[in-house]
Amino acid sequence: MYKRFVKRAIDAALAFVGVVVLLVPMAIIALAIKLDSKGPVLFKQKRVGLHKKHFMILKFRTMRIDTPRDAPTHELSDPKKWITRVGGVLRKTSLDELPQIFNILAGQMSVIGPRPALWNQFDLIAERDKYGANDVVPGLTGWAQINGRDELEIDVKAKLDGEYVERMSFWFDCKCFFGTIASVLRSDGVVEGGVGELKKNSAENAETNEQAAAK
């Protein structure tokens, strides 16, 4: 009942309220983007939706217009050089994701769910298939986002997405929702160009400890 009807009703209601409440802030952000750099306000990108059907996700543009398209940030050489001044602030605070309330209104996304993969992130898509995570509506935020985000390796992220699928309920969605607010305020897991940073940092720390012990 919740998964089929109630969740969608809540999504539509929250997205509608979001449009009304955030209309002025989004207009201010749009103006800041236009004044900061050349190019459109919104960035559209092909993503993987329910049952692996593609849709165009909406974001505030945070990168230069000559940035390579359809490339995950972690595959860019020196990704920070492509990010605009306003874009850096938007990405750190996750405000660049606000236009996705229109994707939610259209039924292409949910407030809570696995983050939609890029159409060419075949490794992540394949991992999610193992857990049925491609067969739920992707979300604005989700369980993986409050448990590491950019710091997670692909297999760990997919496993967390699968855990969300298994535990999906009104109360678990509430946990993800309020957990997201806390994570955004702390900027948890935001690593530009980072995938698997948590494991990398652990390895680097271990190496440092070994070097210190050897002295």
Side-chain angles (χ1 to χ4, degrees):
M1 181 71 174
Y2 174 73
K3 296 178 183 179
R4 295 189 62 185
F5 303 108
V6 178
K7 184 174 172 67
R8 174 57 192 156
I10 292 174
D11 284 339
L14 288 176
F16 178 77
V17 171
V19 170
V20 174
V21 172
L22 298 172
L23 192 59
V24 173
M26 287 197 293
I28 294 172
I29 291 172
L31 179 60
I33 292 171
K34 290 298 291 184
L35 293 175
D36 182 49
S37 62
K38 295 180 180 180
V41 168
L42 293 179
F43 174 70
K44 299 179 181 179
Q45 192 176 55
K46 189 191 297 184
R47 295 290 182 112
V48 179
L50 179 64
H51 303 316
K52 294 189 281 191
K53 292 182 179 178
H54 294 162
F55 72 99
M56 300 302 291
I57 199 172
L58 300 176
K59 288 188 175 189
F60 280 124
R61 182 176 58 82
T62 61
M63 306 185 90
R64 293 166 16 195
I65 57 176
D66 57 338
T67 304
R69 292 186 62 84
D70 291 330
T73 307
H74 67 273
E75 291 184 0
L76 297 173
S77 59
D78 190 15
K80 291 183 180 179
K81 78 175 184 179
W82 302 102
I83 300 172
T84 64
R85 288 172 297 179
V86 170
V89 176
L90 296 180
R91 292 167 77 94
K92 188 173 183 179
T93 57
S94 296
L95 290 174
D96 59 318
E97 311 286 358
L98 288 181
Q100 287 160 45
I101 57 179
F102 296 104
N103 290 119
I104 296 171
L105 274 176
Q108 298 165 326
M109 291 179 63
S110 175
V111 175
I112 308 296
R115 281 295 295 166
L118 275 166
W119 68 272
N120 57 357
Q121 284 184 290
F122 304 117
D123 48 357
L124 176 57
I125 297 168
E127 281 295 317
R128 284 178 168 173
D129 269 336
K130 298 177 182 178
Y131 304 102
N134 290 315
D135 296 321
V136 297
V137 179
L140 179 64
T141 185
W143 186 232
Q145 276 57 54
I146 63 174
N147 282 284
R149 196 172 173 177
D150 296 334
E151 295 180 340
L152 299 174
E153 292 195 312
I154 284 173
D155 58 335
V156 177
K157 185 180 294 185
K159 190 173 182 178
L160 285 168
D161 290 333
E163 185 179 343
Y164 171 76
V165 174
E166 291 180 0
R167 299 177 63 184
M168 190 191 307
S169 67
F170 173 75
W171 296 113
F172 194 59
D173 277 0
C174 287
K175 183 175 183 177
C176 293
F177 182 83
F178 290 109
T180 295
I181 294 175
S183 293
V184 169
L185 291 176
R186 297 191 302 261
S187 296
D188 284 350
V190 179
V191 181
E192 292 300 348
V195 169
E197 292 296 321
L198 201 60
K199 185 173 181 180
K200 291 177 187 175
N201 291 338
S202 296
E204 289 172 359
N205 290 336
E207 183 178 351
T208 300
N209 292 336
E210 288 177 2
Q211 291 173 349
K215 291 181 180 180

